[in-house]
Amino acid sequence: MVINVNASKNYDIEIGRNLLQSIGANISAIKNKCNVCIISDDIVYPLYGEIVLKSLKDASYNVCVFTFNHGEKSKNLNTFMEIQEYLASQNFKRGDLIVALGGGVVGDLAGFVASTYMRGIDFVQVPTTLLAMIDSSVGGKTAVDLPNGKNLVGSFYQPIKVIIDLKTLDTLPCTEYKNGMGEGIKYAMLMDGELESLVTNGVTCSTNVDKFVELCIRYKKYIVEEDEKESNLRRLLNLGHTFAHAIEKLSNYTIPHGIAVAQGLKIISDISLKQGKMAQVAYDKVQVLLDRYDMHIDEEYSINDMLEVIKLDKKAEGDCVNAVVPYAFGDCRIEKLRIEDLKN
Ligand SMILES: NC(=O)c1ccc[n+]([C@@H]2O[C@H](COP(=O)([O-])OP(=O)(O)OC[C@H]3O[C@@H](n4cnc5c(N)ncnc54)[C@H](O)[C@@H]3O)[C@@H](O)[C@H]2O)c1
Ligand SMILES: [Zn+2]
């Protein structure tokens, strides 16, 4: 299955199984022989690195590898600089290529390196988590974190191809799968229709996941093609994220992004219900989905603590917070909410 994205770059997203074995031949259809750096983390590379390495070498690419410690803690300017220096030491030039093999951390970091090394070299996204497949590998947002907050340094930079091998989900731990489903529930609320019924019926590594990934990506493609640089429509994808970012920060990043997003969806639905915007029936549906995918956390954060964090965030403007407010499944609106009202 191939989905084409027509943004500032035109590129294909290929979705299937056992695609890693033929990745070299696949890339050689769009990229001549060159140096390739596989960027990955210390969990994903031992699982899938050799297959990708061999396939690229078989297709006559000159391949080197950079791996770093897994996890958000590596998504910073230190790792960014180490990779840049590594590429320079390997004599990488403008026409060379980066292959990002891993989850969203690898994709965001490798993409940001690709967008800046020699003012931009090509890169291919090979996402291996559910979250990266349905969200971070598509749309060209790249970034690293600063001590002050997540994704504070980055760029919009599209890959030349995205290769999604669903077979890699076989090794994904349950918690990471759940993490992806947090964003999945978000898509279901934005889109309704087929995706909503699919998510309601149940998506697991082995059931319905192919269709689920496809539908999420089709929605993201539509948004990115309309508003690549997030001036308006793309902000809808921030549904649940205003409070999610606050929860992540308050938990000192021990609560993973997708699970924080699920909490954010719950909070913004509570607010919307109380403000008379969301109907009870839609609200109940959100609760059913959160229960179905067991999206509950033990910690509780007060609205005041969250608002303090949000005030420092990109999403606050004066005494208002920018948020995406769900009215119904398929009807979410970008609005300014008064901080005073939220406190009440
Ligand atoms: N660019 C965007 O548009 C965008 C969108 C959403 C999230 N993000 C970013 O994505 C990041 C989160 O991504 P993530 O949840 O994929 O995290 P991640 O990359 O840290 O991956 C989660 C864990 O799963 C492991 N892993 C990855 N694939 C595996 C596999 N197939 N089998 C076994 N283990 C595997 C990784 O080593 C890691 O330990 C955050 O930094 C977030 O800011 C970016
Ligand atoms: Zn997100």
Side-chain angles (χ1 to χ4, degrees):
M1 143 95 43
V2 177
I3 298 174
N4 179 264
V5 179
N6 194 10
S8 54
K9 246 180 228 156
N10 185 300
Y11 59 96
D12 284 341
I13 301 169
E14 232 175 289
I15 310 169
R17 281 170 201 275
N18 300 312
L19 297 183
L20 296 186
Q21 288 79 343
S22 53
I23 203 164
N26 190 335
I27 292 175
S28 66
I30 50 166
K31 184 87 184 163
N32 290 336
K33 187 169 175 256
C34 63
N35 292 316
V36 180
C37 182
I38 302 172
I39 299 179
S40 191
D41 71 26
D42 61 342
I43 291 183
V44 178
Y45 193 81
L47 291 167
Y48 302 109
E50 285 297 324
I51 309 171
V52 173
L53 181 78
K54 180 173 184 310
S55 177
L56 287 165
K57 281 188 172 165
D58 288 349
S60 301
Y61 290 104
N62 181 29
V63 194
C64 63
V65 179
F66 188 98
T67 62
F68 57 84
N69 289 339
H70 66 277
E72 189 73 30
K73 283 206 168 66
S74 291
K75 204 179 107 174
N76 58 36
L77 286 170
N78 283 340
T79 323
F80 170 82
M81 208 168 73
E82 283 172 18
I83 304 174
Q84 300 278 11
E85 283 174 357
Y86 178 71
L87 295 177
S89 76
Q90 297 295 310
N91 219 2
F92 266 57
K93 298 284 189 295
R94 281 292 293 276
D96 291 330
L97 177 74
I98 285 174
V99 169
L101 173 68
V105 166
V106 170
D108 277 16
L109 182 54
F112 186 46
V113 168
S115 78
T116 46
Y117 185 76
M118 293 204 168
R119 301 195 179 84
I121 65 173
D122 286 343
F123 87 114
V124 172
Q125 287 271 24
V126 188
T128 60
T129 62
L130 186 63
L131 184 138
M133 289 176 184
I134 63 172
D135 199 355
S136 62
S137 68
V138 179
K141 273 194 186 177
T142 80
V144 295
D145 305 334
L146 293 182
N148 271 338
K150 273 188 56 159
N151 299 328
L152 290 184
V153 184
S155 61
F156 286 99
Y157 192 69
Q158 304 292 340
I160 60 166
K161 181 147 208 166
V162 182
I163 298 171
I164 299 180
D165 189 337
L166 295 163
K167 194 90 177 71
T168 58
L169 293 177
D170 290 354
T171 54
L172 194 68
C174 275
T175 47
E176 292 306 335
Y177 186 80
K178 204 160 123 176
N179 194 25
M181 278 317 293
E183 298 280 3
I185 297 172
K186 172 193 84 177
Y187 278 115
M189 289 175 70
L190 288 168
M191 250 180 101
D192 78 357
E194 206 181 347
L195 184 64
E196 184 202 327
S197 5
L198 201 67
V199 172
T200 308
N201 288 335
V203 177
T204 68
C205 300
S206 51
T207 344
N208 294 332
V209 74
D210 301 37
K211 192 72 192 166
F212 170 73
V213 170
E214 181 199 333
L215 290 175
C216 292
I217 289 177
R218 284 199 189 281
Y219 182 74
K220 186 141 188 196
K221 160 198 157 76
Y222 151 72
I223 298 268
V224 169
E225 287 180 347
E226 291 289 317
D227 177 23
E228 183 173 348
K229 297 259 168 89
E230 199 170 322
S231 47
N232 196 11
L233 187 71
R234 190 167 179 172
R235 284 156 61 200
L236 282 177
L237 295 175
N238 291 329
L239 176 64
H241 281 60
T242 306
F243 290 97
H245 286 155
I247 290 170
E248 283 181 273
K249 198 156 187 190
L250 288 170
S251 78
N252 204 11
Y253 298 99
T254 53
I255 297 179
H257 179 71
I259 293 172
V261 169
Q263 300 308 308
L265 295 173
K266 179 176 158 35
I267 296 166
I268 196 70
S269 299
D270 280 341
I271 291 170
S272 184
L273 180 79
K274 288 199 178 113
Q275 294 191 336
K277 295 169 179 170
M278 192 181 215
Q280 185 72 43
V281 44
Y283 180 82
D284 292 343
K285 243 196 289 188
V286 176
Q287 305 309 312
V288 168
L289 292 182
L290 296 175
D291 286 343
R292 183 177 228 306
Y293 294 97
D294 189 23
M295 289 293 179
H296 300 284
I297 52 170
D298 296 333
E299 298 80 353
E300 274 197 22
Y301 300 103
S302 78
I303 187 90
N304 284 336
D305 286 350
M306 286 189 277
L307 287 171
E308 283 311 308
V309 177
I310 289 168
K311 276 194 216 161
L312 303 172
D313 195 24
K314 301 174 272 196
K315 293 181 182 65
E317 260 174 51
D319 56 1
C320 286
V321 175
N322 292 314
V324 183
V325 180
Y327 281 68
F329 278 64
D331 178 10
C332 299
R333 307 178 195 175
I334 300 158
E335 292 183 353
K336 282 192 194 313
L337 302 177
R338 288 190 55 234
I339 291 177
E340 264 325 292
D341 293 346
L342 297 179
K343 281 187 182 161
N344 297 332

